[in-house]
Amino acid sequence: MDRDPILLTPGPLTTTLRTKLAMLKDWGSWDADFNALTARVRQGLLQIIHAQDSHVVVPLQGSGTFSVEAAVATVVPRDGHLLVLDNGAYCKRLGKVATLMGRRTTIATRPEQLPVSAAELAALLQADASITHVGLIHCETGTGIVNPLAEVAEVCQRLGRGLIVDAMSSFGALPIDARQIRFDALVAASGKCLEGVPGMGFVFVRKAVMAGCEGNSHSLAMDLHDQHQYMERTGQWRFTPPTHVVAALAEAMVQYQEEGGQPARLARYTDNCRTLVDGMAGLGLRTFLAPEHLSPIIVTFLAPSDERYRFATLYAEAKAQGFMLYPGKLTAVETFRVGCIGAIGHTEMQQAVDAVGRTLRGMGLGPA
Ligand SMILES: *Cc1c(COP(=O)(O)O)cnc(C)c1O
């Protein structure tokens, strides 16, 4: 195999050679050059969702979940009440994060194969005035379903509640415009649709909200208000920054703009998704979600019902042919997932389908 395996996973994902090469340099965390890099990345992130006027963006060390936790810790006051709209595994993780941090948390669960409902949210908020904030996962990566961000944001604004959005797997690919969608905090990370490497998250916080967040966080490391104050004052990260990750993200964002920004990225991922879903249909594999709910981020496939099917075998054989698949995250049905994101295109997706087809035939499965 003369290339690394293609990662068909929603982060870490396959990155370009340029992005990998950007990590071959050591940076001093106090140095003006690195501070300028951080400032450039922050500015670029704000521009992607047109949030320069309304929000600040605060980067944070760690995987994406660290930033989700920091957003809740910083934005939801200790006597606040978070309502989590739940239709999958990442929603449940958000609920757990908030509960463990001692925030009053209510979880409104819907079936995993359906988007959350803005109408149901309105009813829940009207019935309970104690709810101060709503937590929404934009693209629920557990299944791949996209939730109605604009409608949920409209309800939150109309009924005067804060909104925290986990846009980890959608940011950069699906359209989000902070001038049109009102949110208190929106969370994403380096190693998803911007095609950087994992290691840092970032949280957009509405300026007026951030001003009132001092002292909310029970945790020093998770305190985005403190991180923001320090960064504004010194240009530096509060604690050791993931320097190579920041450098890789800066380079990945240059390529993002060269490709044509969000519309181009969405178009490529949409083509990846179509190649995948059509190809797998040809192998007799159906998607867990109805076609109208599929997202160009990640697709959940129902496993073949044949008793000879083993995910471990599918995984190992696909890997031997250069493609890393992703296990399912559902409890009720046997599934596996295939990511459409990363520095890959039609050719790699078609090769992945061919590898799955060969593997299934080797297991004695597949179309007659
Ligand atoms: C990837 C992802 C996260 C963060 O996961 P980490 O493993 O902590 O990086 C959070 N929410 C969603 C929806 C994600 O896709």
Side-chain angles (χ1 to χ4, degrees), residues 347-360:
T347 305
E348 289 78 14
M349 290 318 270
Q350 188 58 54
Q351 289 171 346
V353 169
D354 294 344
V356 169
R358 275 192 294 274
T359 302
L360 292 180

Side-chain angles (χ1 to χ4, degrees), residues 282-296:
L283 301 175
L285 291 169
R286 290 188 301 116
T287 59
F288 168 72
L289 295 174
E292 65 270 25
H293 294 319
L294 292 178
S295 72

Side-chain angles (χ1 to χ4, degrees), residues 36-238:
L37 192 68
T38 297
R40 184 146 51 83
V41 165
R42 291 176 73 204
Q43 198 53 36
L45 292 173
L46 287 167
Q47 282 164 3
I48 289 172
I49 58 168
H50 310 288
Q52 305 92 305
D53 295 338
S54 52
H55 293 74
V56 296
V57 65
V58 190
L60 185 71
Q61 300 91 329
S63 89
T65 304
F66 290 58
S67 284
V68 172
E69 191 157 326
V72 174
T74 305
V75 170
V76 182
R78 294 188 205 192
D79 61 355
H81 180 183
L82 179 70
L83 173 69
V84 177
L85 299 174
D86 167 27
N87 63 342
Y90 288 89
C91 308
K92 289 178 174 62
R93 188 187 291 178
L94 172 59
K96 187 171 181 187
V97 157
T99 304
L100 280 173
M101 286 188 299
R103 302 302 191 274
R104 186 174 167 200
T105 306
T106 299
I107 300 185
T109 299
R110 296 257 298 167
E112 287 186 310
Q113 64 274 20
L114 293 177
V116 304
S117 155
E120 186 180 301
L121 170 64
L124 289 168
L125 293 182
Q126 267 150 356
D128 189 345
S130 75
I131 295 167
T132 55
H133 293 77
V134 173
L136 175 76
I137 312 293
H138 188 199
C139 174
E140 169 45 74
T141 318
T143 57
I145 202 163
V146 178
N147 284 316
L149 171 58
E151 288 87 338
V152 165
E154 189 278 321
V155 169
C156 291
Q157 178 169 17
R158 180 157 49 83
L159 298 179
R161 318 297 169 94
L163 174 62
I164 297 175
V165 184
D166 171 351
M168 206 74 65
S169 63
S170 57
F171 182 86
L174 300 184
I176 300 171
D177 189 334
R179 297 168 303 188
Q180 284 157 16
I181 294 174
R182 185 186 167 88
F183 53 83
D184 284 13
L186 185 137
V187 190
S190 54
K192 303 253 175 164
C193 298
L194 292 179
E195 300 183 358
V197 302
M200 62 172 271
F202 44 90
V203 185
F204 299 88
V205 182
R206 198 139 52 78
K207 287 177 180 171
V209 169
M210 185 60 114
C213 285
E214 187 167 3
N216 279 350
S217 178
H218 58 290
S219 154
L220 178 66
M222 295 286 146
D223 189 344
L224 294 175
H225 183 271
D226 201 40
Q227 175 95 323
H228 180 245
Q229 294 253 313
Y230 187 86
M231 206 168 256
E232 290 295 299
R233 201 170 64 241
T234 64
Q236 299 171 13
W237 296 55
R238 243 178 348 162

Side-chain angles (χ1 to χ4, degrees), residues 322-341:
F323 298 92
M324 302 258 208
L325 304 174
Y326 209 49
K329 225 180 176 59
L330 306 179
T331 41
V333 254
E334 164 114 30
T335 56
F336 65 92
R337 288 178 293 167
V338 185
C340 305
I341 65 179

